[in-house]
Amino acid sequence: MNNFNTIKAIIVDDESLSISVIEEYLKPFATIEIIDRCTQSELAIEIIKTKKPDLLFLDIQMPRFNGFEVIEAVLSVYNPYVIFITAFDNYAIQAFETNAIGYILKPIDEQKFKNIIQKAITQLQQQNFQNLKELLSSFQKTDNEFLKRILIKEPNRFFYIPVEDVYFFEASGDYVNVVTAEKKYTINNSLSALENSLNPLEFARIHRSTIVNCNQIKEFKPYFNSEYILVLKNKIEVKVSRNYKENLTRIFKDL
């Protein structure tokens, strides 16, 4: 969540009346802030990717894309907590297979709605607290606890590369490419594992498939939709996704 005490929510339903009912029933919950509403599933996909809500109220049966297709379309960028809203009870099993935290039938019963919302708030706050602990833990590591070198395994030799020599790491299927000034190497690792091992004041995840060495950045070029193109010292250009821009501004605070 963007704020420890605020849960940002988006409501997606092709029925305006249903959106109004949800808004009315949410009024007693001061911790939930409705940041957008949408009646079109196609538009909803872009709004969810852009605004990244903590909680998504999502109708299942809608024109063009149903609720499950909307979730599938945004998963590559963002995975919000979802409460499904529907007039049909035959979707319950499929809904919970998508890790939904709630399933509400229309017409919406106010008391049942409030019970589900209270459970959702508790779950979200617990998750937020855990995320905060992990973030603080990463910054509390001493310099000696961060990854200092990368083991490269080639058919006839093993050797190490200092992390400061790496320009960026790039996901490649189940592997990661390690890009240096001289060459690109491939290691058997995940980008998420590397992100947790690297010093967050020197390395930033700028895309779901890229971690950049901030000491190797030569210049910033503004791009569309508040995104950037980074020009590295080896003249390679890499794009900063809008969804990961805050990782970069954490280090370069004047961006």
Side-chain angles (χ1 to χ4, degrees):
M1 290 185 285
N2 299 303
N3 181 288
F4 189 78
N5 296 314
T6 303
I7 295 171
K8 297 190 180 297
I10 289 178
I11 305 171
V12 180
D13 198 310
D14 63 331
E15 298 176 356
S16 297
L17 178 60
S18 179
I19 292 177
S20 298
V21 170
I22 294 170
E23 288 181 315
E24 182 66 28
Y25 289 171
L26 283 174
K27 284 182 179 178
F29 299 95
T31 55
I32 297 181
E33 176 190 355
I34 301 171
I35 58 172
D36 214 329
R37 309 134 181 90
C38 188
T39 58
Q40 300 176 36
S41 58
E42 187 172 11
L43 178 60
I45 291 170
E46 296 308 312
I47 291 174
I48 294 164
K49 287 180 177 180
T50 301
K51 297 193 174 181
K52 298 192 292 185
D54 304 306
L55 182 60
L56 177 63
F57 294 90
L58 182 61
D59 189 15
I60 293 180
Q61 284 205 332
M62 295 181 291
R64 190 64 191 271
F65 299 111
N66 65 40
F68 300 116
E69 290 170 328
V70 170
I71 292 299
E72 185 177 353
V74 303
L75 273 180
S76 63
V77 174
Y78 192 63
N79 187 14
Y81 285 91
V82 181
I83 294 178
F84 283 106
I85 312 286
T86 180
F88 305 92
D89 61 3
N90 55 316
Y91 293 111
I93 294 176
Q94 188 177 356
F96 287 107
E97 285 177 347
T98 66
N99 295 321
I101 59 174
Y103 186 90
I104 298 173
L105 286 173
K106 299 176 183 178
I108 301 172
D109 179 88
E110 184 173 5
Q111 189 54 54
K112 289 181 180 178
F113 180 89
K114 288 181 176 179
N115 290 342
I116 289 175
I117 296 304
Q118 192 56 61
K119 290 179 182 178
I121 290 172
T122 300
Q123 187 169 339
L124 278 159
Q125 288 178 336
Q126 288 174 345
Q127 181 61 49
N128 188 58
F129 180 68
Q130 182 61 34
N131 291 344
L132 182 62
K133 283 174 60 180
E134 291 174 0
L135 180 62
L136 289 173
S137 176
S138 71
F139 282 103
Q140 287 168 352
K141 287 181 179 179
T142 66
D143 191 54
N144 289 331
E145 291 179 283
F146 293 117
L147 188 65
K148 295 293 186 184
R149 55 190 184 176
I150 304 292
L151 176 62
I152 305 297
K153 295 182 179 181
E154 293 187 340
N156 299 316
R157 62 174 185 151
F158 291 177
F159 59 97
Y160 285 98
I161 296 176
V163 293
E164 58 264 28
D165 291 347
V166 177
Y167 280 77
F168 63 95
F169 298 94
E170 175 185 55
S172 178
D174 294 330
Y175 299 89
V176 172
N177 292 327
V178 181
V179 181
T180 68
E182 296 81 22
K183 190 176 177 182
K184 178 166 70 176
Y185 305 93
T186 300
I187 60 173
N188 186 3
N189 206 333
S190 73
L191 211 61
S192 294
L194 277 172
E195 184 180 18
N196 291 331
S197 301
L198 294 164
N199 188 336
L201 297 178
E202 296 181 359
F203 290 85
R205 188 156 186 173
I206 59 167
H207 190 277
R208 63 188 178 91
S209 61
T210 311
I211 296 173
V212 69
N213 182 347
C214 294
N215 294 317
Q216 299 289 2
I217 297 174
K218 182 180 179 181
E219 61 182 86
F220 301 83
K221 296 165 79 171
Y223 196 61
F224 298 108
N225 297 322
S226 300
E227 295 179 340
Y228 284 96
I229 297 292
L230 302 182
V231 181
L232 305 183
K233 292 177 181 178
N234 61 355
K235 299 184 180 180
I236 289 179
E237 296 186 354
V238 291
K239 188 172 81 168
V240 180
S241 167
R242 180 174 48 195
N243 297 318
Y244 290 89
K245 182 182 173 183
E246 62 185 31
N247 291 341
L248 205 60
T249 54
R250 185 187 67 232
I251 300 171
F252 300 96
K253 301 186 185 301
D254 50 351
L255 275 181

